[in-house]
Amino acid sequence: IDTARTSGEILTAMFAALAQRESEAISERMRWSYRMRMQKGEFNTCQAPLGFRLNGRSLEVVPEEAQIIQRIFAEYLSGRNSREIARIFNEEHVLGLEYKLIDYILRNERYAGNALLQKRYTSDSFPYTKKRNHGEKTQYFVSGINNAIISQETFDKAQALRAKRKNAQGALHSKISHIM
């Protein structure tokens, strides 16, 4: 192909367009296969959260880390917030937990043995970007997909407390804005 000639440039552009379309088709087939596995409840994670280890396609509980997860939930349900829990763990030199990680742990359904699949997704068009799913794509909830570190009851109590604190915090902020 002689790129110095117009016909060579056109040929190169056609090959590039064909390669791009093939790449898009492969990507769409992969997304379709993920959706089918999610619908069947067979899709699991590619990355194990704290407390778990990925063994093939399933999550295994790591007992030493599971104790940390259980303690985080116990501390939270006893009245502490995520910043206080992080401070306690850091003072005791238990991992290097930041409050954002503790927030993530407290809202992650995996610890109760369940999975909400497709919390994030990759855009359909190039350039592909990862996005948080706010209802644009179907999400799939699978119960009992992995061994639980905490009970469903403990998880539900933590979620109720999170909602209560969030509502109380929202009410406080709205009162402050009305005063000003």
Side-chain angles (χ1 to χ4, degrees):
I1 299 174
D2 184 3
T3 56
R5 305 179 87 183
T6 305
S7 60
E9 285 183 24
I10 291 172
L11 199 54
T12 302
M14 286 176 38
F15 285 138
L18 288 172
Q20 177 66 31
R21 181 63 199 120
E22 183 179 3
S23 174
E24 290 171 357
I26 290 168
S27 182
E28 179 55 37
R29 284 193 299 271
M30 290 299 295
R31 281 195 294 272
W32 178 84
S33 74
Y34 293 154
R35 279 193 308 273
M36 292 300 107
R37 285 190 284 160
M38 285 181 201
Q39 286 175 0
K40 293 176 184 176
E42 297 172 355
F43 186 85
N44 214 333
T45 185
C46 301
Q47 193 172 8
L50 180 67
F52 294 102
R53 176 179 344 153
L54 200 55
N55 184 7
R57 287 189 161 181
S58 62
L59 291 176
E60 287 182 351
V61 174
V62 178
E64 304 80 36
E65 293 177 4
Q67 290 175 347
I68 295 168
I69 301 301
Q70 291 165 343
R71 183 169 169 211
I72 287 171
F73 276 89
E75 295 282 353
Y76 188 76
L77 292 174
S78 74
R80 291 192 170 88
N81 64 36
S82 56
R83 289 180 191 270
E84 292 169 332
I85 297 168
R87 183 182 44 76
I88 290 167
F89 276 95
N90 289 326
E91 285 173 359
E92 295 174 4
H93 304 290
V94 178
L95 298 173
L97 298 178
E98 294 182 20
Y99 77 94
K100 288 182 180 183
L101 177 59
I102 291 174
D103 280 339
Y104 166 78
I105 289 168
L106 290 169
R107 69 177 185 271
N108 191 341
E109 70 286 340
R110 285 279 180 175
Y111 295 111
N114 307 313
L116 179 61
L117 305 174
Q118 201 156 281
K119 292 178 193 173
R120 295 181 182 272
Y121 68 96
T122 304
S123 63
D124 294 332
S125 59
F126 191 78
Y128 301 115
T129 56
K130 288 196 180 273
K131 298 182 177 184
R132 183 173 290 275
N133 189 353
H134 295 288
E136 300 89 352
K137 303 283 184 182
T138 304
Q139 292 183 323
Y140 305 93
F141 184 83
V142 184
S143 60
I145 194 167
N146 55 268
N147 291 329
I149 292 178
I150 58 160
S151 69
Q152 185 66 49
E153 180 184 359
T154 300
F155 183 77
D156 291 341
K157 284 180 183 177
Q159 299 321 296
L161 182 56
R162 286 176 56 77
K164 182 180 174 184
R165 287 180 177 180
K166 185 177 181 179
N167 289 338
Q169 190 177 37
L172 177 64
H173 286 302
S174 67
K175 286 180 184 178
I176 292 171
S177 64
H178 292 304
I179 294 171
M180 292 180 189

